[in-house]
Amino acid sequence: MNQQKQTKDSDTQTSPIKNKVGSIFVPVRDIEKSRSWYCQVLGLKEADCSIMNGHLCPLPMVGTGIILDTMPMWGGDQPGGAPSIDTPAFMLLTADLKGSLEFMKKIGSELVTEIEHDHWFVVKDPDGNKLMICAE
């Protein structure tokens, strides 16, 4: 009986992990090239996006952070670098979906889709990571 009660208590234990995303890591091969591309896409100044330890570049975001990382511990030190994100893992928001699509075309981004369901489209960053751009 006592063992059964302990099991039930441990099943309902409150997790110490917060329901909050701190940052999202994006694997990149050329940290400077990727920083330039993301700064252009997000309207950031490169001077505000310092490269740390030779492989990390936190981007100043509103809300959840994005960190560009050559990921030396996760395959970035191997030929070809760390694997890119093949399925969109996060979305960037826009108030102007059509304007955003035209902007991405203008800067030469590789499109994966056109606008789908009048709500989103997907592009690749310079490292082949798939990113979703979604209407707010």
Side-chain angles (χ1 to χ4, degrees):
M1 176 93 151
N2 208 10
Q3 186 177 14
Q4 191 176 28
K5 182 176 177 2
Q6 284 177 334
T7 302
K8 286 181 181 180
D9 287 346
S10 66
D11 288 346
T12 60
Q13 180 180 359
T14 302
S15 173
I17 300 167
K18 293 182 178 183
N19 182 2
K20 181 178 182 181
V21 175
S23 292
I24 297 168
F25 284 87
V26 177
V28 300
R29 291 176 186 85
D30 182 330
I31 193 76
E32 290 182 10
K33 180 179 178 181
S34 293
R35 173 181 63 179
S36 293
W37 188 85
Y38 276 89
C39 284
Q40 183 178 19
V41 168
L42 297 171
L44 301 171
K45 294 178 185 173
E46 286 188 43
D48 295 335
C49 303
S50 299
I51 295 172
M52 302 166 46
N53 302 320
H55 71 97
L56 294 167
C57 183
L59 302 176
M61 303 291 292
V62 174
T64 300
I66 293 177
I67 301 174
L68 308 177
D69 189 353
T70 60
M71 303 205 169
M73 288 187 64
W74 311 108
D77 59 347
Q78 302 297 313
S84 58
I85 302 168
D86 196 39
T87 303
F90 62 93
M91 69 174 117
L92 298 172
L93 299 175
T94 181
D96 180 2
L97 192 61
K98 289 179 184 176
S100 296
L101 179 66
E102 291 308 313
F103 177 78
M104 297 307 282
K105 287 179 181 180
K106 182 178 177 182
I107 67 170
S109 297
E110 182 181 343
L111 296 179
V112 177
T113 70
E114 291 288 331
I115 293 174
E116 300 287 331
H117 308 286
D118 295 320
H119 194 65
W120 58 271
F121 65 92
V122 174
V123 297
K124 287 185 181 180
D125 75 3
D127 296 285
N129 296 303
K130 292 180 182 170
L131 307 173
M132 181 177 283
I133 312 298
C134 193
E136 282 186 293

